[in-house]
């Protein structure tokens, strides 16, 4: 079990990492900057083995990376805002908002990754999901408050 303050801190750290990963390090800026190798490494990792067979040099791939990166960045900001403004005062509501949203991201992203041959992306998604769900599921309820598994 963990306190609400600790859970909020963990969520904010993971949310910041999610937003930075989406915006700067890999998806949006990588194809257009010196961060290109980081973007290529991320895509190559998702499509194990590390063989440098994947490329993101056409405009369709760059558009999909930009859209994906923007959505990932927005998800990170949303998680940060809920961890900052909702979780401290209403942990149950924060769980009700975040758990369905996280599962709604995870399931189609992972299914689409597996169907496209990027099975290791499912592993990376699962690690991110665990980092985001753990603080929500391990919350210690405040006195007089019940936190059911569904929020």
């Amino acid at each position: 079990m963990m306190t609400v303050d600790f859970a909020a801190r963990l969520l904010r750290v993971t949310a910041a990492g999610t937003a930075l990963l989406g915006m700067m390090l890999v998806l949006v800026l990588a194809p257009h900057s010196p961060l290109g190798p980081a973007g290529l490494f991320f895509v190559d990792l998702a499509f194990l083995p590390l063989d440098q067979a994947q490329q993101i040099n056409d405009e369709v791939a760059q558009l999909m990376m930009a859209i994906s990166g923007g959505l990932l960045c927005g998800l990170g900001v949303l998680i940060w805002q809920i961890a900052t403004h909702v979780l401290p005062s209403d942990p149950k509501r924060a769980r009700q908002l975040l758990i369905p949203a996280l599962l709604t991201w995870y399931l189609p992203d992972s299914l689409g990754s597996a169907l496209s041959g990027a099975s290791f992306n499912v592993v990376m998604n699962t690690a991110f999901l665990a980092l985001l769900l753990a603080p929500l599921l391990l919350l210690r309820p405040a006195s007089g408050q019940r936190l059911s598994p569904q929020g």
Side-chain angles (χ1 to χ4, degrees):
M1 299 301 259
M2 64 178 66
T3 66
V4 170
D5 287 342
F6 188 66
R9 219 170 315 148
L10 284 176
L11 280 171
R12 282 193 297 268
V13 167
T14 307
T18 301
L20 286 173
L21 178 71
M23 188 59 177
M24 293 189 203
L25 297 181
V26 177
L27 299 174
V28 176
L29 297 178
H32 310 285
S33 74
L35 296 172
L40 285 172
F41 177 77
F42 176 79
V43 172
D44 200 23
L45 186 61
F47 284 96
L48 283 177
L50 294 173
D51 57 7
Q52 300 177 339
Q54 288 71 36
Q55 297 297 314
I56 52 174
N57 54 6
D58 69 34
E59 55 273 344
V60 173
Q62 292 173 6
L63 173 64
M64 293 297 104
M65 298 278 289
I67 291 169
S68 299
L71 290 171
L72 193 56
C73 187
L75 178 64
V77 170
L78 176 65
I79 293 166
W80 179 285
Q81 295 291 22
I82 291 173
T84 301
H85 300 292
V86 179
L87 184 64
S89 61
D90 195 347
K92 183 177 179 180
R93 174 69 65 202
R95 288 168 54 126
Q96 289 171 332
L97 293 169
L98 284 175
I99 291 173
L102 293 171
L103 293 175
T104 301
W105 150 73
Y106 176 81
L107 293 171
D109 186 314
S110 295
L111 176 62
S113 295
L115 291 173
S116 68
S119 298
F120 194 71
N121 196 50
V122 177
V123 175
M124 293 187 287
N125 285 349
T126 303
F128 263 114
L129 182 66
L131 286 170
L132 292 163
L133 283 182
L136 296 169
L137 297 177
L138 297 175
L139 276 173
R140 181 182 319 132
S143 60
Q145 192 174 40
R146 286 188 31 184
L147 293 173
S148 68
Q150 292 295 316

